[in-house]
Amino acid sequence: MTQDPTKYKESECDVLIVGAGPAGMMAARVLANYQRQQPDLKIRIIDKRSTKIFTGQADGLQSRTLECMQNLGIAQKILAESNELYTIALYNPDENGIIRRTDRIPDTMPGISRFHQCVLHQGRIERHLIDSTLETSNGRIKIERPIITEDMEIDESAVEDPDAYPITVTLRYLGEEESTPLQFGHKVENGLYRSVSMMDAEDEDAQYKLPEGAEPGMIEKVKCKYVIGCDGGHSWVRRKLGIEMVGEQTDYIWGVLDAIPHTNFPDIRSRCAIHSAESGSVMIIPREKDLVRFYVQLQERAIPGQRVDRSKYTPDVVLEAARKIMAPYTLDITNLEWFTAYHIGQRVAHIFGKDDRVFIAGDACHTHSPKAGQGMNASMMDTWNLCWKLGMVLTGRANRNLLSTYQTERQPFAQALIDFDHKFSRLFSGRPAKDVADEMGVNMEEFKSAFIKSGKFASGTAIDYNESVAVAKTGDPKLNKVKSKPELAKNIGVGTRLQSERVIRHAEGLVTEVQDLLVSNGAFRIFVFAGKANQPEQMARLNKFAEYLDSADSVVSRYTPAGRKRDFIFDVITIHSNSREEIEMQDFPAPALYPKWDYKKIYADCEDWHIGHPRAYEKYGIDPVKGCVVVVRPDGYVALVTDLESTKDLDAYFDGFMQAPKKAVGAQTEPDWTAKGLYKKTTEAAKADRASATAA
Amino acid sequence: MTQDPTKYKESECDVLIVGAGPAGMMAARVLANYQRQQPDLKIRIIDKRSTKIFTGQADGLQSRTLECMQNLGIAQKILAESNELYTIALYNPDENGIIRRTDRIPDTMPGISRFHQCVLHQGRIERHLIDSTLETSNGRIKIERPIITEDMEIDESAVEDPDAYPITVTLRYLGEEESTPLQFGHKVENGLYRSVSMMDAEDEDAQYKLPEGAEPGMIEKVKCKYVIGCDGGHSWVRRKLGIEMVGEQTDYIWGVLDAIPHTNFPDIRSRCAIHSAESGSVMIIPREKDLVRFYVQLQERAIPGQRVDRSKYTPDVVLEAARKIMAPYTLDITNLEWFTAYHIGQRVAHIFGKDDRVFIAGDACHTHSPKAGQGMNASMMDTWNLCWKLGMVLTGRANRNLLSTYQTERQPFAQALIDFDHKFSRLFSGRPAKDVADEMGVNMEEFKSAFIKSGKFASGTAIDYNESVAVAKTGDPKLNKVKSKPELAKNIGVGTRLQSERVIRHAEGLVTEVQDLLVSNGAFRIFVFAGKANQPEQMARLNKFAEYLDSADSVVSRYTPAGRKRDFIFDVITIHSNSREEIEMQDFPAPALYPKWDYKKIYADCEDWHIGHPRAYEKYGIDPVKGCVVVVRPDGYVALVTDLESTKDLDAYFDGFMQAPKKAVGAQTEPDWTAKGLYKKTTEAAKADRASATAA
């Protein structure tokens, strides 16, 4: 039976991503790394909206998210457009009930990250992810819209077969009317309003346009290996899996305005938490382009179990409430960009998918109040976590057992986030205590203390993933066969993201952030902290370690596919603690640690003319003589810390989830092409050099 | 008489720029600032080549040039593509005649600038200037090519009439054959070779394309107010003016190769100066995309007065010479991108134009050896200097007397550059002395010392312009009627570029580089170093100064055209030395120092949570209590230092060259819209706040 191909078709794909918001786009971007390496991978991303979002919605980017964006190569573009947040100002009523600034605290706690929290509207963040995905995938991964999911069936008998396509998803292509979000200058009944001023007229996603060959109403049945539901708080995928959201709602109602304020309030360009005596609270978030976001607590309360009628909360209602809270300061606005009203609730799913075949991510599995700026970040970090694992499995590099760590790593974090938000939003919405005896009020010292303590959590840098096949902490026979030696790197938390310190590139002295070496390309990093490599006994240890790497038995030789460079999956990076005069790049064992014509693999923790001594060993808590080995996952999280002798730990860690290619690259032998000895200087002469250069 | 419009036309323009290399493009970019403000200005830039250059040629960008690029908004784009240089390694023969590394010194001396010297091929630098010019001028300033100049006449009787078009230039539009540079994969007789690999295929300037309506052979007579000759070492404009280049040539011949090296030479990614015992010298410049540039001294000598036959110097000849010098290290190359040979000479013009109507800039007035990486920088800085002055005159803001400072500022610099290069290139080409008695050889200690001393000069940051109508130093009745009070800012050199220090933006605590406030938009900056503004007597001084600014008699009120914002020509920026707790933004006199709804005019030199105390007052040598006033020109050079009382110095400085508009903006009066007092805290309470925040 032939059918009209504009009405019905069937297809196969490796991954179907449902929803092209931040979680979905991050999934597409990370999977693009693998699609670039293996162009026959078929990754699709669909969205039910006919155009992307141009204003409003989630906007805060936390430090950790920016670190990841940096590894994706787009942090600088985002920072150039965003507004970085520096100060939090706290305002509370004084003895006469007039609000006063009582404190200023840093918005990003010093020392947490080199990136400060910033704000940029969601449409621009999506735009950078879309562009980067297109570029990385050579144009192959492109959002298809407007398309909705109508059915999904899982063939349970095939879920453990890595070559099977056990999920069948039915898609329907939408017409223009049923899909266009009301966002351009419309004033709609539920209080949602969006202006055109922030719309990028050049944006190719600004117009309704079905994929080529499709017509409105067309049905497509897609057989998928994997499905990721990034389809928001009302997730169709989640509901189809029968997964429930657990949690509760408060009765607090908040309004939100994005506008340019005219005010004599002195901290209008700081993030502010303003508690008035009787009129509720305001949070101020200064944004890009002179905009400011106001979160305004409204005096009405929601009725439990009932949806809030947002049509009542016009911009005038919200502005008037803000004026009362911020009095005696004056407040007017121009350039209203967006407004909405919402009802605080915290809900989380206990299960993040099914059969390690269908996953849910982002708002589909956790929703909470927007004021702490967590939602979009947690959403993107969900798929940042999931998709390197999925990429490894899809390319045959890892077994499916790696996938279960998505649930064990992200669900506990989501729960912690919900608990954090539950506490934080209640402190925020509460009336300030009048005095010590006022037990119904919120103690403002407690509020401040919570704010400060929340800094690290809110930055996203505190995440510490549990023991698993992907994280070797104390060892657990059920999960893995290896344990870390954390005493070798006292300040590197196994399970946490590798914090950035600065080191000096040996070849030319470039000051380099260690995190900048964690380019998101699907590779693990094996950091060889080589210690004092100019000491013969330490060099002997390094030679032994290098012999392992070059041997046929090493993880590099066994798991790297034939025909690929040896740094394709395992990027070995050496950081020594000598000066650049005490040792030469060519002294390091070649080719294992110093591959031919590659000047970007060896770094020194040594004095620099411009920044002084970066003291990376000290900051990481690593012995400067003996060093250690640190394995970092493709997502930047520390998997294993061990010593140079324990190459069996490397074997055990990677053997726990990796899969050998049909033909591996094998042992590496290469004649000595370096020029050892030619450039040797005495240590005394080297010292004199440095002294004379520094004196100059 | 009507003529065929495709054969002949006549036109008028304000500025005709001849030559679209770095000097010409910088001229276009700076003039675009004024064209944006006054769209009827007609700025044209022509070039005789049919396409732009894609490989080779000048490449080094010095610190000062990058500072200017930052003010143009394109430094980050350039840095993202470039290779930054960190280390200079010096290699000299040891007692056995084998080259050894004898020293490493920093390529950019610490403390000179936040920007390090970097390397990027000229085609990309031009591309960023072209894009930025198009954007700034809303597409109006676009290179017209291929066009040559055939005649130029100056009507001497009209040169002092600001409304006249005294120069008539005859242009001829070229056909494809007579204009295409041989650059794409051709191997041509004179040894010039360029590969296609670095060509940007998307580049719209890669194809021969005459401007619309033109045909090959068309003649155009253009009546111009001003002409800038940026037409290179063989400048037609210079020859037409009868200006001679003065200088000499050495007999040293050097070859240049851009390629990816395969070598065991350990410093291949550092800038290197290698002096062999008997075989000559090599300079290594590591570049972007793993390329390295080799400057190789050839053993043949040129015959005085004769042009060097470059066809003899093939890549093999140059490579073989490099191998001899770099032995015993091995050297092979792949990806040869470009090569050439040249003959060192230093020549400079004594006069940089005629009648302050026709100017010459860049290679048209100074040529020298390329190894110090000065040429392109000096060329761009010529028109960076000239064009803000020209822009001021063209828009009627300044009198023509400002233009004479182009000659008095840039010609002495060019002379100093020639002298520097003369000395430096001889030290570089000389044979190393065998011992103290070897008087014909170059003493390697002297070479190193010269290299270190040259660092600041070569960075471009040492320029100190002479007293003139545009720079008020000690005062000179012939030049100006005002002198600076340099003791008020001991480390700010009047006549030098304002060095960058960090300050904290009062409104939200943003750490800000002072140089980033010097956005290139045609405005002067009046920095009000407000000192301890929380002291009543100091605030009284500030109020007085603000009264002046707001009064009808101030330079702001007299010289800003009606209808423009008050920061259009005079951007008043306040930097105080209080903490953000000791004083509020709203305490500063509004609107003079704190304009309505503008949170970007007031900065503090105070403790920051992340960087500590920037100590900008101390670094600038300014009294932290009493402050001072510093006037900075649109090109970032310090024009005047005075005190808050000496508003007559501001009048005298600007009256020296500025011209009042037909209707000025006049005095400023505004009701008090700030909220003084509302947010007042005691100093004790402020201290406690900071202590508690820091403790947290």
Side-chain angles (χ1 to χ4, degrees):
Chain A
M1 185 185 81
T2 24
Q3 283 191 292
D4 180 347
T6 63
K7 297 274 168 58
Y8 178 82
K9 73 171 180 180
E10 293 182 356
S11 63
E12 280 184 356
C13 80
D14 290 280
V15 184
L16 178 68
I17 304 162
V18 182
M25 276 318 307
M26 179 61 87
R29 174 61 187 84
V30 175
L31 288 170
N33 289 332
Y34 299 88
Q35 205 270 350
R36 182 186 188 86
Q37 297 166 353
Q38 191 174 314
D40 63 346
L41 281 186
K42 190 149 191 211
I43 314 293
R44 290 179 65 178
I45 177 165
I46 62 169
D47 200 278
K48 68 181 177 185
R49 292 170 303 187
S50 66
T51 67
K52 75 184 195 49
I53 291 216
F54 295 100
T55 58
Q57 301 220 353
D59 302 88
L61 282 169
Q62 303 296 350
S63 301
R64 177 57 191 153
T65 311
L66 287 165
E67 292 176 357
C68 298
M69 294 296 186
Q70 173 79 352
N71 291 151
L72 292 171
I74 56 177
Q76 297 310 319
K77 289 178 192 171
I78 288 171
L79 288 173
E81 297 179 10
S82 72
N83 186 54
E84 286 185 61
L85 298 178
Y86 277 79
T87 301
I88 299 172
L90 305 180
Y91 277 74
N92 293 305
D94 66 9
E95 59 276 16
N96 302 314
I98 294 171
I99 58 166
R100 302 268 178 194
R101 180 171 65 228
T102 52
D103 282 292
R104 272 186 179 138
I105 55 179
D107 190 78
T108 302
M109 289 294 150
I112 281 182
S113 170
R114 65 190 152 129
F115 295 106
H116 291 192
Q117 186 181 173
C118 75
V119 176
L120 179 65
H121 83 86
Q122 184 173 332
R124 290 304 304 164
I125 295 162
E126 290 175 5
R127 169 50 50 204
H128 289 298
L129 282 171
I130 291 169
D131 289 347
S132 179
T133 302
L134 282 169
E135 193 187 329
T136 307
S137 68
N138 290 316
R140 290 192 197 90
I141 307 180
K142 199 166 174 353
I143 303 168
E144 300 167 60
R145 59 167 93 225
I147 297 174
I148 57 167
T149 43
E150 289 208 322
D151 197 15
M152 178 169 72
E153 286 172 26
I154 305 177
D155 175 1
E156 297 284 347
S157 70
V159 294
E160 288 310 323
D161 173 2
D163 297 324
Y165 293 79
I167 314 151
T168 305
V169 179
T170 306
L171 306 180
R172 185 162 66 86
Y173 290 69
L174 298 185
E176 187 162 9
E177 301 69 29
E178 51 183 336
S179 63
T180 303
L182 292 164
Q183 63 179 350
F184 307 132
H186 297 289
K187 183 157 183 179
V188 296
E189 287 198 355
N190 69 350
L192 206 69
Y193 170 97
R194 289 172 180 140
S195 90
V196 295
S197 73
M198 290 189 72
M199 181 183 149
D200 183 353
E202 302 288 306
D203 199 308
E204 58 179 27
D205 294 322
Q207 301 301 326
Y208 170 81
K209 188 162 173 272
L210 276 177
E212 212 162 312
E215 277 195 12
M218 184 174 88
I219 299 295
E220 179 176 4
K221 280 196 189 270
V222 193
K223 287 184 174 295
C224 310
K225 283 190 172 172
Y226 296 93
V227 171
I228 312 175
C230 303
D231 48 349
H234 301 288
S235 170
W236 179 92
V237 175
R238 183 190 71 229
R239 283 178 288 143
K240 191 75 193 170
L241 295 176
I243 297 171
E244 270 186 50
M245 295 285 267
V246 180
E248 54 177 275
Q249 290 207 304
T250 64
D251 55 358
Y252 298 116
I253 299 171
W254 287 73
V256 189
L257 292 177
D258 280 356
I260 295 181
H262 290 186
T263 178
N264 55 12
F265 181 73
D267 283 278
I268 193 69
R269 293 303 304 173
S270 296
R271 191 169 154 210
C272 293
I274 306 168
H275 278 89
S276 72
E278 301 287 350
S279 308
S281 302
V282 161
M283 177 173 263
I284 291 176
I285 311 271
R287 300 190 44 176
E288 73 276 18
K289 297 184 183 175
D290 294 331
L291 289 167
V292 170
R293 170 166 293 186
F294 294 87
Y295 287 104
V296 183
Q297 188 178 4
L298 303 175
Q299 287 297 293
E300 267 181 88
R301 297 298 177 94
I303 298 152
Q306 288 191 17
R307 209 156 172 174
V308 171
D309 172 14
R310 294 198 288 184
S311 68
K312 292 196 294 190
Y313 305 111
T314 63
D316 285 339
V317 168
V318 179
L319 181 60
E320 199 45 53
R323 283 185 180 130
K324 271 198 187 127
I325 298 163
M326 291 174 67
Y329 298 102
T330 59
L331 177 65
D332 285 298
I333 59 170
T334 60
N335 302 66
L336 176 67
E337 288 289 340
W338 185 68
F339 76 88
T340 190
Y342 66 92
H343 181 188
I344 296 180
Q346 290 88 19
R347 305 196 316 143
V348 63
H350 286 164
I351 300 173
F352 277 19
K354 188 161 169 45
D355 299 328
D356 290 334
R357 283 287 183 176
V358 181
F359 305 92
I360 52 174
D363 288 355
C365 40
H366 41 76
T367 60
H368 40 82
S369 73
K371 284 192 302 298
Q374 292 298 312
M376 181 172 60
N377 296 273
S379 295
M380 289 193 284
M381 292 301 96
D382 280 348
T383 46
W384 172 259
N385 179 288
L386 171 64
C387 288
W388 71 266
K389 300 167 184 175
L390 207 47
M392 295 277 291
V393 172
L394 286 168
T395 54
R397 295 173 207 165
N399 295 310
R400 280 179 35 79
N401 68 337
L402 183 60
L403 298 175
S404 63
T405 61
Y406 173 59
Q407 164 84 23
T408 61
E409 293 186 342
R410 294 304 295 176
Q411 204 284 333
F413 169 72
Q415 189 62 56
L417 175 60
I418 293 303
D419 296 344
F420 163 78
D421 188 62
H422 186 272
K423 181 178 172 196
F424 191 74
S425 64
R426 274 157 187 74
L427 281 175
F428 211 95
S429 298
R431 173 182 58 74
K434 291 195 177 69
D435 49 45
V436 185
D438 179 4
E439 287 180 8
M440 293 295 289
V442 173
N443 179 313
M444 286 296 109
E445 278 305 305
E446 189 191 336
F447 177 74
K448 177 186 167 188
S449 158
F451 223 127
I452 291 172
K453 278 188 199 139
S454 72
K456 183 151 188 184
F457 182 87
S459 75
T461 62
I463 285 179
D464 184 356
Y465 291 138
N466 295 326
E467 182 86 41
S468 75
V469 70
V471 173
K473 294 187 170 184
T474 56
D476 178 335
K478 290 197 302 292
L479 297 169
N480 57 44
K481 290 179 183 127
V482 55
K483 61 177 182 177
S484 280
K485 300 181 166 70
E487 67 279 10
L488 299 180
K490 294 186 187 67
N491 304 325
I492 292 180
V494 180
T496 71
R497 68 85 159 92
L498 184 69
Q499 77 253 31
S500 202
E501 301 297 347
R502 291 186 293 186
V503 290
I504 313 297
R505 194 152 77 195
H506 194 114
E508 83 280 55
L510 178 76
V511 177
T512 305
E513 291 277 348
V514 170
Q515 269 190 358
D516 286 350
L517 301 172
L518 308 178
V519 174
S520 174
N521 61 2
F524 284 81
R525 266 84 202 180
I526 300 178
F527 282 99
V528 182
F529 284 90
K532 290 277 178 228
N534 67 337
Q535 298 185 1
E537 58 274 35
Q538 185 67 8
M539 184 53 87
R541 296 179 71 211
L542 287 172
N543 279 323
K544 199 110 192 267
F545 186 78
E547 262 169 46
Y548 160 79
L549 288 177
D550 282 339
S551 78
D553 295 334
S554 75
V555 292
V556 183
S557 302
R558 290 187 292 126
Y559 290 123
T560 307
R564 296 290 191 179
K565 289 184 70 180
R566 292 179 77 86
D567 62 1
F568 182 64
I569 300 179
F570 305 93
D571 188 10
V572 179
I573 295 168
T574 300
I575 301 175
H576 64 77
S577 65
N578 285 115
S579 75
R580 290 202 295 147
E581 277 67 43
E582 289 169 341
I583 195 160
E584 298 290 338
M585 205 161 56
Q586 283 81 351
D587 289 327
F588 285 88
L593 302 191
Y594 174 32
K596 208 163 181 171
W597 321 138
D598 189 339
Y599 308 106
K600 296 177 180 173
K601 300 295 192 199
I602 301 182
Y603 296 81
D605 178 21
C606 69
E607 191 77 21
D608 171 75
W609 289 300
H610 303 279
I611 65 159
H613 200 303
R615 306 220 170 279
Y617 270 69
E618 188 181 322
K619 289 172 184 163
Y620 283 136
I622 297 173
D623 182 302
V625 176
K626 298 197 153 183
C628 69
V629 174
V630 177
V631 176
V632 179
R633 314 192 312 191
D635 61 350
Y637 287 77
V638 179
L640 175 70
V641 172
T642 192
D643 55 40
L644 286 164
E645 281 71 26
S646 299
T647 55
K648 63 173 179 16
D649 285 357
L650 290 181
D651 290 330
Y653 172 73
F654 287 108
D655 291 349
F657 59 86
M658 285 199 72
Q659 185 175 303
K662 286 193 187 102
K663 186 161 188 281
V665 71
Q668 175 168 236
T669 51
E670 182 114 34
D672 188 9
W673 49 271
T674 63
K676 288 193 169 85
L678 261 178
Y679 37 80
K680 269 279 189 297
K681 301 182 60 170
T682 65
T683 306
E684 287 311 305
K687 274 187 196 155
D689 271 11
R690 175 149 294 276
S692 80
T694 310
Chain B
M1 186 184 81
T2 26
Q3 283 192 292
D4 180 349
T6 64
K7 297 273 168 59
Y8 179 82
K9 72 171 179 180
E10 291 181 358
S11 63
E12 280 184 357
C13 81
D14 290 281
V15 183
L16 178 68
I17 303 164
V18 182
M25 277 317 307
M26 180 60 87
R29 174 61 187 83
V30 175
L31 288 170
N33 288 332
Y34 298 89
Q35 204 271 349
R36 184 187 187 84
Q37 296 166 353
Q38 192 175 312
D40 63 346
L41 278 187
K42 190 147 191 214
I43 315 291
R44 289 180 66 180
I45 177 164
I46 62 168
D47 199 277
K48 67 182 177 185
R49 293 170 303 188
S50 65
T51 69
K52 77 183 192 54
I53 291 218
F54 294 100
T55 59
Q57 300 219 355
D59 302 88
L61 282 169
Q62 304 295 351
S63 301
R64 176 57 191 152
T65 312
L66 286 164
E67 291 176 356
C68 298
M69 294 298 187
Q70 173 80 352
N71 292 150
L72 291 170
I74 57 177
Q76 297 309 319
K77 290 178 191 171
I78 288 172
L79 288 172
E81 297 179 11
S82 73
N83 186 55
E84 285 184 61
L85 298 178
Y86 277 79
T87 300
I88 298 171
L90 305 180
Y91 277 73
N92 293 304
D94 67 8
E95 59 277 16
N96 301 314
I98 294 172
I99 58 165
R100 303 268 178 194
R101 182 172 63 229
T102 51
D103 282 292
R104 273 185 178 140
I105 54 179
D107 191 78
T108 302
M109 292 292 149
I112 281 182
S113 170
R114 66 191 153 131
F115 295 105
H116 290 193
Q117 185 181 175
C118 75
V119 176
L120 180 63
H121 83 87
Q122 182 173 333
R124 290 303 305 164
I125 296 162
E126 288 174 5
R127 170 46 53 205
H128 289 297
L129 282 170
I130 291 169
D131 288 347
S132 178
T133 301
L134 281 169
E135 194 188 328
T136 308
S137 68
N138 291 316
R140 289 194 195 91
I141 306 182
K142 202 168 174 350
I143 303 168
E144 301 167 58
R145 56 169 96 229
I147 298 173
I148 58 167
T149 41
E150 290 208 323
D151 197 16
M152 178 169 73
E153 285 172 26
I154 306 177
D155 175 1
E156 297 284 346
S157 70
V159 293
E160 289 309 324
D161 173 3
D163 297 324
Y165 293 80
I167 314 153
T168 305
V169 179
T170 306
L171 306 180
R172 186 161 66 85
Y173 289 70
L174 298 186
E176 189 162 7
E177 302 70 30
E178 53 182 336
S179 63
T180 303
L182 291 164
Q183 63 179 351
F184 306 132
H186 296 288
K187 185 161 180 175
V188 296
E189 286 198 354
N190 69 350
L192 206 69
Y193 169 97
R194 288 170 181 142
S195 91
V196 296
S197 73
M198 290 190 73
M199 181 182 149
D200 183 352
E202 302 289 306
D203 199 307
E204 59 179 27
D205 294 322
Q207 302 300 326
Y208 170 82
K209 190 163 172 271
L210 276 177
E212 213 163 310
E215 277 194 12
M218 186 175 87
I219 298 295
E220 180 176 3
K221 281 196 190 270
V222 194
K223 288 185 174 294
C224 312
K225 282 189 172 172
Y226 295 93
V227 171
I228 312 176
C230 303
D231 48 350
H234 301 288
S235 170
W236 179 92
V237 174
R238 184 190 68 228
R239 283 178 287 142
K240 192 73 193 170
L241 294 177
I243 296 171
E244 270 186 49
M245 294 287 267
V246 180
E248 52 177 278
Q249 290 207 303
T250 65
D251 54 0
Y252 300 115
I253 299 172
W254 288 72
V256 189
L257 293 178
D258 279 358
I260 295 180
H262 291 186
T263 178
N264 57 11
F265 181 74
D267 284 278
I268 193 69
R269 294 303 304 172
S270 294
R271 191 169 155 209
C272 293
I274 306 168
H275 278 90
S276 73
E278 301 287 350
S279 306
S281 301
V282 161
M283 177 172 262
I284 291 176
I285 311 274
R287 300 189 44 175
E288 73 276 19
K289 296 183 183 174
D290 294 331
L291 289 168
V292 171
R293 170 165 293 185
F294 294 87
Y295 287 104
V296 183
Q297 187 178 5
L298 303 175
Q299 287 298 293
E300 266 181 89
R301 296 297 177 95
I303 297 151
Q306 287 190 16
R307 211 156 171 172
V308 171
D309 172 14
R310 295 198 287 185
S311 68
K312 293 195 293 189
Y313 305 111
T314 65
D316 285 340
V317 167
V318 178
L319 182 60
E320 200 44 53
R323 284 183 179 132
K324 273 202 186 123
I325 297 163
M326 291 173 68
Y329 298 102
T330 59
L331 178 64
D332 285 297
I333 60 170
T334 59
N335 303 66
L336 176 66
E337 287 290 340
W338 185 67
F339 76 88
T340 191
Y342 67 91
H343 181 187
I344 297 181
Q346 290 88 18
R347 305 196 316 144
V348 63
H350 286 165
I351 299 173
F352 276 19
K354 189 160 167 49
D355 299 329
D356 290 335
R357 284 287 181 175
V358 182
F359 304 93
I360 52 175
D363 289 354
C365 41
H366 43 75
T367 62
H368 40 82
S369 73
K371 283 191 303 297
Q374 292 299 312
M376 181 172 59
N377 296 275
S379 295
M380 289 192 285
M381 292 301 97
D382 280 349
T383 45
W384 173 258
N385 179 289
L386 171 63
C387 288
W388 71 267
K389 299 167 183 174
L390 206 47
M392 294 276 292
V393 172
L394 286 168
T395 53
R397 295 173 207 163
N399 295 311
R400 279 179 36 79
N401 67 336
L402 183 60
L403 298 176
S404 63
T405 61
Y406 174 59
Q407 163 83 23
T408 61
E409 293 185 343
R410 294 305 295 177
Q411 204 285 334
F413 169 71
Q415 188 63 54
L417 174 60
I418 293 303
D419 296 344
F420 163 77
D421 187 63
H422 187 271
K423 182 178 172 195
F424 192 73
S425 63
R426 275 156 186 75
L427 281 174
F428 210 95
S429 299
R431 172 182 58 75
K434 291 193 178 71
D435 50 42
V436 185
D438 180 4
E439 287 182 5
M440 293 296 287
V442 173
N443 180 312
M444 285 298 110
E445 278 305 307
E446 188 191 334
F447 177 73
K448 177 186 165 189
S449 155
F451 223 127
I452 292 172
K453 279 188 200 139
S454 72
K456 184 151 188 185
F457 182 86
S459 76
T461 61
I463 286 180
D464 184 356
Y465 291 137
N466 294 327
E467 181 86 42
S468 74
V469 69
V471 174
K473 293 186 168 184
T474 56
D476 178 334
K478 288 197 302 291
L479 298 169
N480 57 44
K481 289 182 183 122
V482 55
K483 62 178 181 175
S484 278
K485 300 181 167 68
E487 68 279 9
L488 299 180
K490 295 188 185 66
N491 304 325
I492 292 180
V494 180
T496 71
R497 67 83 158 98
L498 184 68
Q499 78 254 30
S500 201
E501 301 297 346
R502 292 186 293 186
V503 290
I504 312 299
R505 195 152 76 196
H506 194 114
E508 83 281 55
L510 178 76
V511 177
T512 305
E513 291 277 349
V514 170
Q515 270 190 357
D516 285 350
L517 302 172
L518 308 179
V519 174
S520 175
N521 62 1
F524 284 80
R525 265 85 202 179
I526 300 177
F527 282 100
V528 181
F529 284 91
K532 292 277 179 227
N534 67 336
Q535 298 185 0
E537 59 274 33
Q538 185 67 6
M539 185 53 89
R541 295 179 72 211
L542 288 172
N543 279 323
K544 198 108 192 265
F545 184 77
E547 262 171 45
Y548 160 78
L549 288 177
D550 283 339
S551 77
D553 294 334
S554 76
V555 292
V556 183
S557 302
R558 289 187 291 125
Y559 290 122
T560 306
R564 297 288 191 180
K565 287 184 70 182
R566 291 180 77 87
D567 63 3
F568 182 64
I569 300 180
F570 306 92
D571 188 9
V572 179
I573 296 169
T574 299
I575 302 175
H576 64 77
S577 65
N578 285 114
S579 73
R580 291 201 295 144
E581 278 67 44
E582 290 168 343
I583 195 162
E584 299 290 338
M585 205 161 56
Q586 283 80 351
D587 289 328
F588 286 87
L593 302 192
Y594 174 31
K596 207 162 182 173
W597 322 137
D598 188 340
Y599 307 105
K600 296 178 180 172
K601 300 296 193 199
I602 299 182
Y603 297 80
D605 179 20
C606 68
E607 191 77 21
D608 171 75
W609 290 299
H610 304 279
I611 66 160
H613 199 303
R615 307 221 170 277
Y617 270 69
E618 189 181 320
K619 289 171 185 165
Y620 284 136
I622 297 173
D623 183 300
V625 176
K626 297 199 153 183
C628 68
V629 174
V630 177
V631 176
V632 179
R633 314 193 311 192
D635 60 352
Y637 287 77
V638 179
L640 173 70
V641 173
T642 192
D643 56 38
L644 287 163
E645 281 71 27
S646 298
T647 55
K648 63 172 177 15
D649 286 355
L650 291 180
D651 291 329
Y653 172 73
F654 287 107
D655 291 350
F657 58 87
M658 285 198 71
Q659 187 175 303
K662 285 194 186 102
K663 187 161 188 280
V665 70
Q668 177 169 232
T669 51
E670 182 117 33
D672 188 9
W673 50 271
T674 63
K676 288 193 171 85
L678 261 179
Y679 37 80
K680 267 280 189 295
K681 300 181 61 170
T682 64
T683 305
E684 286 311 305
K687 273 187 196 155
D689 272 10
R690 173 148 295 272
S692 79
T694 308

